[in-house]
Amino acid sequence: SKARTDIVNLDEKNSQNNEAGQNISEELTVEEDQTTVLEEETSKDQALPQRVIALSKSNAELWVLAGGELVGTSEDALNIEGIGEGVEDLGDMDKVSLEAITALEPDLLILFGTEPAQKALGEAASEIGIPVLFTNIDGFEDYEKVMKEFTDLTGRDDLYEKNVVSVREEIDEILKKVPEGEEKTYLFLHVSATKSKAEKNDYFASEIFNSLGLRNIASDDSSFDELSMEAIVSADPDYIFVVPRGNEKKALESFDSIFVNDPAWESLTAVKEGRYTLLSKDLFGLKPNDKWADAYKEAYDLLYTNE
Amino acid sequence: MIEVKNLKTKYSYGDEFSVASALFENGRISGVIGKNGSGKSTLLKTLAGQRKYEGRILINQKECSEYSSMERAREVAFLPQSVKNLNMDVRTLVEHGRYPYHGNFRRMGEEDEKKVNRALELTHMKSFEKRDLYELSGGERQLAYLSMIIAQDSSMILMDEPTTYMDRIHQDEFFSILRILVKEGKGIVMVCHDIEQCFAYCDKIFLMEDRKLEYAGTPDVFTQNEQIIRRNFGIAMKKSEDEESVYPFVMKK
Amino acid sequence: MIEVKNLKTKYSYGDEFSVASALFENGRISGVIGKNGSGKSTLLKTLAGQRKYEGRILINQKECSEYSSMERAREVAFLPQSVKNLNMDVRTLVEHGRYPYHGNFRRMGEEDEKKVNRALELTHMKSFEKRDLYELSGGERQLAYLSMIIAQDSSMILMDEPTTYMDRIHQDEFFSILRILVKEGKGIVMVCHDIEQCFAYCDKIFLMEDRKLEYAGTPDVFTQNEQIIRRNFGIAMKKSEDEESVYPFVMKK
Amino acid sequence: MKKIIKWYILPLGILILSLVAALFAGSKSISVKDIIKVLSGGGSAFQKVIIFQVRIPRIIATASTGAALSVSGYLIQNNLNNTLASPGILGINNGAGLFVLLFACLFPYHYAGKCFAAFIGALLVTTAICILASVTGMSKTSIVLSGVAFSALCLSVIDIIISLKPETVADRVAFQIGGFNALNINSVKFAVPFIIIILIASLIMAPSLDILMLGDDVAGGLGLNIKFYRAAHILFAALLSGAAVSMCGIIGFMGLIVPNVVRLFYRGNSRGGIFLCMVIGASFLTLCDLLGRSLVYPYELPCGLFLSLIGAPFLVWMLIKKRKRLGMA
Amino acid sequence: MKKIIKWYILPLGILILSLVAALFAGSKSISVKDIIKVLSGGGSAFQKVIIFQVRIPRIIATASTGAALSVSGYLIQNNLNNTLASPGILGINNGAGLFVLLFACLFPYHYAGKCFAAFIGALLVTTAICILASVTGMSKTSIVLSGVAFSALCLSVIDIIISLKPETVADRVAFQIGGFNALNINSVKFAVPFIIIILIASLIMAPSLDILMLGDDVAGGLGLNIKFYRAAHILFAALLSGAAVSMCGIIGFMGLIVPNVVRLFYRGNSRGGIFLCMVIGASFLTLCDLLGRSLVYPYELPCGLFLSLIGAPFLVWMLIKKRKRLGMA
Ligand SMILES: Nc1ncnc2c1ncn2[C@@H]1O[C@H](COP(=O)(O)OP(=O)(O)OP(=O)(O)O)[C@@H](O)[C@H]1O
Ligand SMILES: Nc1ncnc2c1ncn2[C@@H]1O[C@H](COP(=O)(O)OP(=O)(O)OP(=O)(O)O)[C@@H](O)[C@H]1O
Ligand SMILES: [Mg+2]
Ligand SMILES: [Mg+2]
């Protein structure tokens, strides 16, 4: 998958020279081979961002892992290790108030590039002179790239070593152990309280299972994403993996009821033979970040050690 | 037969309407006359069970409010003063007159068809039966509704200014239809502004004044009590002496 | 003044309506009579510019379709056969009669207020001005709309059965109002089913038969041509010999 | 005779054709021959599962949902004499949505139970509407405004729940888009018999709908208990769309387009109108769902997409064709 | 005189109070004293940014959105004589939504541009509706049904886009929920002058709305160009709600509740009605947004939540209070 990091970096001097709202926003689209552009930009600008806001658990985690400090973050990120006491709680990541952000006088705002709500917020913020940085992580490679940028910004190469390079090595370790054999199939379900949805190969956790020698039954690259029940019954996957969207504990209590009581699901081999598993939300529902290796390990254990 | 005693009704504001006592008989045409706003429509609506009231309204010896609405509709039909212009054909409209009998459950039977056809023939609306109400002239629409009321075949028929929009021939025909119905034993109560017509065709006349029904009598009686009519209508009535005259009673200055 | 020549109009199906030639003058009451469905309402609608037509309709020497709709409304007012029961008070309704003058832009001026008040006084509806149309009796509502048309103060007034629902006194008053308006030089065209009234008050009578306007003349002329009236209305007219008679012409068998 | 063919036999024929088409088309892994084998008692276990547990329940669900939503719309529109009225605008959908969401918070992952929640939600909201409307006179305006009020109220509670538990937003979206790909067979077993009973009941009660359209004065004179029937039809409509919504979430525009199209080309009484809505609604939604699930197999497109995509141009065409009649109304 | 106080001075007073309240309440990091300092030219740079770049634009946006949506609903409802009509049901929202989505697909990283897209979408769909309606006679029914048809059409295209590019579903949801928390200052600069102009125009044109309500026959007799004005009011409504939607996405029920409440308690002419909708809508939405952003600061609740939560019970109360009048309609 492609990694994109868009930076809307607003030069403070620039904004003073121009009338309000008429700021020239400089937008850089950093593709895989253009990372150098970003480095040049940051090395020119010696001042490190001091007051940073990251508006999602994932982004906050990344910034902290890169050795940065935050002045504000969204509610779901507050329980992350390494978040200081004084960090302001800014609420739900989709509905953060621009005024609350401005009030913290940030010099960098880190947002998701894929969420329209965050995208809109980013545009509105850069409009009034707040520098904004968008991230977009679809897999481990994206994680590596973003961490590179962040550690460059914070100047903590040691943390890149610790949180990226060593994780990469651990993963390679696990992948080496994968036995050769018949290719098994799986179905990856993302369930909310009333609905389940099959994830395709562009989901980051699918990448984990694929590299562990399994095949996703939803494996084509069309953009459609509602998998037909008839197709599931026809494909009859060997494994079913489930990740909850909401409360994990409640999901654990009652997720059996998704598969029993419904004759179509009950007819699947994976269900008959009990090969359906609830995976942890931290590793397979949200981006695992520095615990990426743990996700690979858990998946490996599930597939190969339990048998 | 509708018998009224100490009837009272009222709108959310304004004075009360009252009728001390009145009897609307079967086999008779009862005409209700009175000035604009004297309460004729309100009286008819109340008799038809469409308004809350105090006092008694006995329809064929049974209190109006004790009837179920379907039972009541089999006893009393009601044509309001102004009717709706619908996207519906004439025959369908007339068939709705049979609702009190077949209700929701029974389908239109032979009997029903017969009543509907008869009503359409009486009003000469048979040739219009496939036409839409929207495509009719005012008088034709009035006749369509009249057919519906006739198809309803109730023992009492209350009509609020039924001759509105009708031309003279249709008005004449209308009254001959009433005569036929009355001969079959039905009782007719109608509001009417054309005093000469009213005196000519009604067996009994009820005069409303100031939201009260206080005078009732035959056309002759009213002709004798000149001042009552004059007070309400600005003219008096007299027996016609002209033998070419269309009506037996005519207005005089 | 409305001058009509070779006028033709048509509904999506059914026969054509036609008027070879007719003149509706100012300072006159022109009565349009005819059976139900003969085309009276259609004629009035067409004259009021509410329908597409072929031929010529000259309103004060200018072709009807060449007027802008506001200009036309200043020349011709139109009261349709049945009017809506609205959630609106009487005075507001009557003020809408001034729309062709102040349009969207000007506010109600002194002139407008005067016209509105005069219309309400003429129809004796002043005391009802704060009442809602919903709370009026049929006749009162009709008078409210009549006031609106009077407030419109156009040189020609077209009215489709304006006396509907009115009691006798109001009908008399209605015609005296018309007389006042006619004296001021306005021209009135009205549809009417009460032939005696029509002959009494109209200066000229237009008879529609089978979607055609073919006969026009003074009441006298029509009285002489007995068979035309009889064919359409089942009666004939004659000069009244009775000096107590309310109307100068009365129906005869 | 021609009338019977045109209004009864032709629509029924179309319905049967679409049901058969929906039965035979679908995944390529099971051929027409296989299907016939399965239907006559043979076939492999997996083929049996596909036919009896997946395909047939789905066809039953689409047909009954189509019928239910169309008739529901027809009842409400004719009752209130308002082209724009629909289960959605009267708050029935929002009521069902609210209860699904509440249910999702209290008992997450009990997929089968959410259908009862939707149904009960629709019913409760409608009861509330009827009570408020009857306090305020049971006139058309009072029903409509009561519906608007409760609809808004439910929506605000939905918003509160989503604000407190942001993870439920996915449930909300899933409910709102609607579709049959995650159809639960238990909800079909519950809702379909229910829908059939109410459809029959509304066919029976149809004449009262005709009478209601004559206006309150005339209807009262004909002996119709106006308040009772007005409430009854609203309640029927709510039960129908509540049951439908409980199977498949909200399928927009069905209850708005089908009754309006039927009213444009059919001019008879309400019983015929309800019958046509039923049959046309059922075949139309079955066909749309067939398209949705076979066009991009093994993936699915929401059937609502085809519904609007085919229904809207058809409505435009009907409007142009019947423009003369429209001019009068 | 009493009338002027009740219908003009009182509402305007409420509006001014709510605007002032909205200006002074908000984040705790800036006190009332600070605000006064900033307003009189002083204050720190960051305080200036908060007041002039964040808070004041937001207040302007909420007030003008509230006014625009309420007046838009009022125009459509009175024009079509239908309590249930609203910008949403006529397809204006779906048209705007479609264009936002198209824009998001074509230029995914130009957020500011989406407001033009929304506006153009609303306008195009309304033009299409007006053309179809005028072909079919410009009667009320034909406008309503044309609106339903185009609304459904836009929705199906939205569904297609989402099916082909599932990642756009988030754009759709963001647009559909609406709110002011990420208000873009450019969209305010574009939409607000526009809204003000159209509001003035609809105040001017108000009398024609009164005349339209008299029915086509009478209105024609009074010289109203019925087709022209019917189209003009629909177009005004579309421009208003298109401009509003372009700032903040869809804020449901505003255009449905406010006009209905106004119509329940105010009985004068349309000019007064439009004025009241404008002022009440503006103050109401401003207050709701104030609640939304200050009740759980620094969190935000969507203003639509308070809108329904306060508006719906108020509507219920009005219905009960005015039940006598409702009985007649
Ligand atoms: N809903 C209402 N609320 C208050 N007053 C009303 C209402 N309806 C009618 N009225 C008043 O009651 C009085 C009697 O009305 P009603 O309709 O019974 O008169 P009517 O004798 O039928 O008159 P018309 O000959 O004009 O039809 C009138 O003065 C009218 O203004
Ligand atoms: N929209 C329409 N489409 C088709 N035919 C129509 C339409 N409107 C009226 N007609 C027919 O045209 C004829 C004349 O109608 P019109 O309303 O002009 O009659 P009228 O003379 O005013 O009758 P009345 O005295 O009953 O009011 C009638 O036969 C009527 O059925
Ligand atoms: Mg009356
Ligand atoms: Mg006529």
Side-chain angles (χ1 to χ4, degrees), chain D residues 6-319:
Chain D
K6 190 167 170 198
W7 300 129
Y8 293 87
I9 304 196
L10 184 68
L12 275 178
I14 293 176
L15 175 61
I16 291 168
L17 277 183
S18 21
L19 293 180
V20 171
L23 181 61
F24 285 98
S27 74
K28 279 132 218 161
S29 51
I30 181 163
S31 69
V32 173
K33 248 191 214 154
D34 291 335
I35 295 170
I36 293 172
K37 212 188 287 164
V38 170
L39 290 178
S40 49
S44 71
F46 130 80
Q47 287 168 340
K48 273 187 187 158
V49 169
I50 288 206
I51 297 298
F52 291 118
Q53 316 281 11
V54 181
R55 209 174 281 177
I56 290 183
R58 182 158 180 167
I59 294 170
I60 293 175
T62 50
S64 53
T65 301
L69 292 178
S70 311
V71 171
S72 173
Y74 188 84
L75 292 178
I76 297 185
Q77 286 168 20
N78 278 16
N79 189 342
L80 300 179
N81 207 351
N82 191 326
T83 337
L84 283 179
S86 71
I89 205 108
L90 275 195
I92 298 170
N93 288 349
N94 277 345
L98 170 59
F99 273 68
V100 165
L101 216 57
L102 278 177
F103 185 84
C105 290
L106 297 176
F107 314 99
Y109 310 104
H110 281 99
Y111 286 14
K114 77 164 183 195
C115 81
F116 297 97
F119 185 71
I120 288 168
L123 207 58
L124 282 183
V125 169
T126 314
T127 315
I129 292 170
C130 285
I131 291 172
L132 178 57
S134 83
V135 167
T136 54
M138 211 68 190
S139 70
K140 282 174 235 161
T141 320
S142 76
I143 294 177
V144 163
L145 291 184
S146 308
V148 169
F150 280 105
S151 185
L153 213 55
C154 289
L155 194 68
S156 68
V157 181
I158 288 176
D159 282 346
I160 291 176
I161 294 177
I162 291 180
S163 297
L164 294 178
K165 298 193 156 236
E167 69 271 16
T168 54
V169 74
D171 294 304
R172 169 80 181 139
V173 172
F175 178 75
Q176 196 121 41
I177 291 175
F180 295 92
N181 78 315
L183 187 72
N184 189 299
I185 199 163
N186 291 315
S187 67
V188 178
K189 281 182 194 153
F190 160 72
V192 171
F194 205 88
I195 289 177
I196 292 173
I197 293 171
I198 305 284
L199 284 178
I200 293 172
S202 20
L203 275 176
I204 291 174
M205 301 251 285
S208 60
L209 206 57
D210 287 318
I211 307 290
L212 268 179
M213 284 193 287
L214 299 176
D216 290 9
D217 277 352
V218 175
L222 288 172
L224 190 81
N225 188 333
I226 296 171
K227 293 190 183 185
F228 172 79
Y229 278 104
R230 202 159 259 163
H233 290 297
I234 298 282
L235 217 66
F236 278 8
L239 291 172
L240 283 174
S241 68
V245 153
S246 76
M247 279 193 285
C248 61
I250 294 171
I251 303 216
F253 283 111
M254 187 85 204
L256 209 51
I257 290 186
V258 175
N260 274 314
V261 166
V262 165
R263 231 175 305 108
L264 279 174
F265 71 75
Y266 173 76
R267 315 255 302 98
N269 62 21
S270 292
R271 193 165 280 162
I274 291 176
F275 175 78
L276 279 175
C277 277
M278 216 163 93
V279 176
I280 292 175
S283 8
F284 188 35
L285 192 58
T286 307
L287 284 178
C288 288
D289 186 59
L290 173 60
L291 282 179
R293 70 188 154 89
S294 54
L295 224 55
V296 293
Y297 184 83
Y299 295 99
E300 300 216 344
L301 292 170
C303 56
L305 189 164
F306 293 98
L307 202 117
S308 313
L309 199 63
I310 302 171
F314 189 71
L315 181 57
V316 170
W317 178 68
M318 286 298 300
L319 280 173

Side-chain angles (χ1 to χ4, degrees), chain B residues 45 50 69-70 72-73 76-78 80 82-84 86-89 92-93 96-97 99-100 102-107 132 134-135 145 148 152, chain D residues 3 81 140 203-226 229 267-269 271 325 328-329:
Chain B
K45 263 189 228 162
Q50 308 289 302
S69 56
M70 295 271 269
R72 193 193 57 228
V76 184
F78 172 56
S82 42
V83 288
K84 262 180 125 178
L86 292 168
N87 227 323
M88 181 184 280
D89 67 39
T92 309
L93 179 75
H96 289 332
Y99 184 77
H102 58 73
N104 293 323
F105 301 100
R106 240 193 309 144
R107 297 194 54 206
D132 247 34
Y134 256 107
E135 300 165 347
Y145 273 94
M148 181 187 82
Q152 195 173 337
Chain D
K3 229 167 103 180
N81 207 351
K140 282 174 235 161
L203 275 176
I204 291 174
M205 301 251 285
S208 60
L209 206 57
D210 287 318
I211 307 290
L212 268 179
M213 284 193 287
L214 299 176
D216 290 9
D217 277 352
V218 175
L222 288 172
L224 190 81
N225 188 333
I226 296 171
Y229 278 104
R267 315 255 302 98
N269 62 21
R271 193 165 280 162
R325 171 135 31 97
M328 289 186 297

Side-chain angles (χ1 to χ4, degrees), chain A residues 154-166:
Chain A
T154 54
R156 295 285 301 269
D157 289 343
D158 58 321
L159 287 175
Y160 184 76
E161 198 60 35
K162 177 172 168 245
N163 290 323
V164 182
V165 178
S166 65

Side-chain angles (χ1 to χ4, degrees), chain A residues 16-35:
Chain A
Q16 278 163 5
N17 295 343
N18 288 288
E19 286 166 48
Q22 294 278 313
N23 301 328
I24 300 158
S25 63
E26 205 175 320
E27 189 169 312
L28 295 176
T29 305
V30 186
E31 304 273 340
E32 280 158 274
D33 48 345
Q34 288 180 317
T35 355

Side-chain angles (χ1 to χ4, degrees), chain A residues 77-299:
Chain A
L78 286 175
N79 53 3
I80 295 175
E81 269 176 63
I83 289 255
E85 279 289 289
V87 176
E88 190 91 21
D89 173 6
L90 291 170
D92 179 4
M93 62 175 262
D94 280 341
K95 290 193 283 287
V96 178
S97 126
L98 187 56
E99 182 169 327
I101 292 173
T102 320
L104 290 177
E105 297 180 71
D107 52 13
L108 183 62
L109 181 59
I110 304 174
L111 298 167
F112 268 144
T114 43
E115 281 285 320
Q118 297 227 330
K119 204 57 215 174
L121 193 64
E123 291 245 348
S126 65
E127 217 40 79
I128 61 169
I130 300 170
V132 180
L133 194 151
F134 290 111
T135 65
N136 183 2
I137 297 181
D138 278 338
F140 185 73
E141 284 170 18
D142 299 338
Y143 168 71
E144 281 181 308
K145 274 181 205 100
V146 173
M147 278 304 283
K148 179 92 183 102
E149 289 158 22
F150 280 11
T151 46
D152 283 348
L153 276 177
T154 54
R156 295 285 301 269
D157 289 343
D158 58 321
L159 287 175
Y160 184 76
E161 198 60 35
K162 177 172 168 245
N163 290 323
V164 182
V165 178
S166 65
V167 172
R168 157 68 72 198
E169 281 159 6
E170 256 181 86
I171 292 172
D172 289 342
E173 240 0 72
I174 295 168
L175 290 182
K176 263 185 231 149
K177 289 196 290 181
V178 174
E180 292 281 321
E182 197 195 342
E183 194 180 47
K184 297 271 176 98
T185 55
Y186 71 95
L187 170 66
F188 194 104
L189 290 178
H190 218 138
V191 303
S192 62
T194 63
K195 198 187 180 217
S196 58
K197 179 175 171 273
E199 290 290 0
K200 301 177 66 174
N201 278 343
D202 55 3
Y203 190 61
F204 77 92
S206 304
E207 200 182 302
I208 299 179
F209 287 105
N210 289 350
S211 57
L212 291 173
L214 265 60
R215 187 169 59 80
N216 191 347
I217 63 165
S219 60
D220 61 301
D221 49 29
S222 73
S223 58
F224 304 109
D225 66 346
E226 290 275 7
L227 194 58
S228 156
M229 192 66 212
E230 277 189 27
I232 295 175
V233 174
S234 307
D236 199 17
D238 298 303
Y239 292 94
I240 298 175
F241 303 122
V242 181
V243 160
R245 261 187 228 281
N247 187 317
E248 239 177 320
K249 228 171 70 198
K250 282 197 174 156
L252 194 59
E253 285 164 14
S254 54
F255 99 115
D256 261 359
S257 69
I258 301 170
F259 301 110
V260 296
N261 289 330
D262 190 318
W265 281 111
E266 275 176 339
S267 75
L268 296 179
T269 322
V271 175
K272 278 191 207 138
E273 295 175 5
R275 281 200 303 273
Y276 56 100
T277 321
L278 187 74
L279 299 174
S280 99
K281 192 174 158 187
D282 276 345
L283 296 181
F284 297 94
L286 307 168
K287 311 284 150 51
N289 291 340
D290 62 325
K291 296 191 212 65
W292 217 287
D294 299 4
Y296 273 87
K297 183 155 191 316
E298 189 171 319

Side-chain angles (χ1 to χ4, degrees), chain E:
Chain E
M1 197 50 215
K2 225 183 102 191
K3 228 167 102 178
I4 289 181
I5 292 181
K6 190 166 169 199
W7 300 129
Y8 292 87
I9 303 194
L10 184 69
L12 273 178
I14 293 175
L15 176 61
I16 290 167
L17 277 183
S18 17
L19 292 180
V20 170
L23 180 61
F24 284 97
S27 76
K28 278 131 218 159
S29 52
I30 179 161
S31 68
V32 172
K33 247 191 214 154
D34 290 336
I35 294 171
I36 294 171
K37 210 188 291 163
V38 171
L39 290 178
S40 49
S44 72
F46 121 83
Q47 286 168 339
K48 273 187 187 154
V49 171
I50 288 208
I51 297 298
F52 291 119
Q53 313 262 37
V54 181
R55 207 174 281 177
I56 290 183
R58 183 161 180 165
I59 295 169
I60 294 175
T62 51
S64 53
T65 301
L69 291 178
S70 311
V71 172
S72 173
Y74 188 85
L75 292 178
I76 296 186
Q77 285 167 22
N78 278 16
N79 189 341
L80 300 180
N81 206 351
N82 191 327
T83 338
L84 283 178
S86 70
I89 204 106
L90 276 195
I92 298 170
N93 288 350
N94 277 344
L98 170 59
F99 273 69
V100 165
L101 215 56
L102 276 178
F103 190 83
C105 288
L106 296 177
F107 313 99
Y109 296 94
H110 283 92
Y111 237 79
K114 80 163 186 187
C115 80
F116 298 97
F119 185 71
I120 288 167
L123 207 59
L124 282 184
V125 170
T126 315
T127 314
I129 292 171
C130 284
I131 291 172
L132 178 57
S134 83
V135 168
T136 55
M138 212 70 189
S139 71
K140 282 174 230 156
T141 321
S142 75
I143 294 176
V144 163
L145 291 184
S146 308
V148 168
F150 280 106
S151 185
L153 213 55
C154 289
L155 194 68
S156 67
V157 182
I158 289 176
D159 283 346
I160 292 176
I161 294 176
I162 291 179
S163 298
L164 294 177
K165 297 195 157 235
E167 68 274 15
T168 54
V169 73
D171 288 290
R172 171 80 182 139
V173 171
F175 177 75
Q176 195 123 41
I177 290 175
F180 297 91
N181 69 314
L183 187 72
N184 193 303
I185 201 164
N186 286 322
S187 67
V188 178
K189 281 183 195 153
F190 161 69
V192 171
F194 205 87
I195 288 178
I196 292 173
I197 293 171
I198 305 284
L199 283 177
I200 293 171
S202 21
L203 275 175
I204 291 173
M205 300 252 285
S208 60
L209 208 56
D210 288 317
I211 307 289
L212 266 181
M213 284 194 286
L214 300 176
D216 290 7
D217 277 353
V218 176
L222 288 173
L224 190 80
N225 188 334
I226 296 172
K227 294 188 182 187
F228 171 79
Y229 279 105
R230 204 159 257 161
H233 290 298
I234 298 282
L235 217 65
F236 278 8
L239 291 173
L240 283 174
S241 68
V245 152
S246 76
M247 278 191 287
C248 60
I250 294 172
I251 304 220
F253 283 110
M254 189 84 204
L256 209 51
I257 290 186
V258 175
N260 273 313
V261 166
V262 166
R263 230 172 310 106
L264 278 174
F265 71 74
Y266 174 75
R267 316 253 303 98
N269 62 20
S270 293
R271 192 165 281 165
I274 291 176
F275 175 79
L276 279 175
C277 277
M278 215 164 92
V279 177
I280 292 175
S283 12
F284 189 37
L285 193 59
T286 307
L287 284 178
C288 287
D289 187 60
L290 174 60
L291 281 179
R293 70 187 155 91
S294 57
L295 219 58
V296 290
Y297 183 85
Y299 292 43
E300 294 238 342
L301 293 170
C303 56
L305 190 163
F306 293 97
L307 201 116
S308 312
L309 201 64
I310 302 170
F314 190 71
L315 181 57
V316 170
W317 179 68
M318 286 298 302
L319 279 174
I320 293 174
K321 214 180 126 194
K322 302 279 175 180
R323 62 178 175 278
K324 276 190 189 125
R325 168 132 36 95
L326 278 172
M328 288 185 298

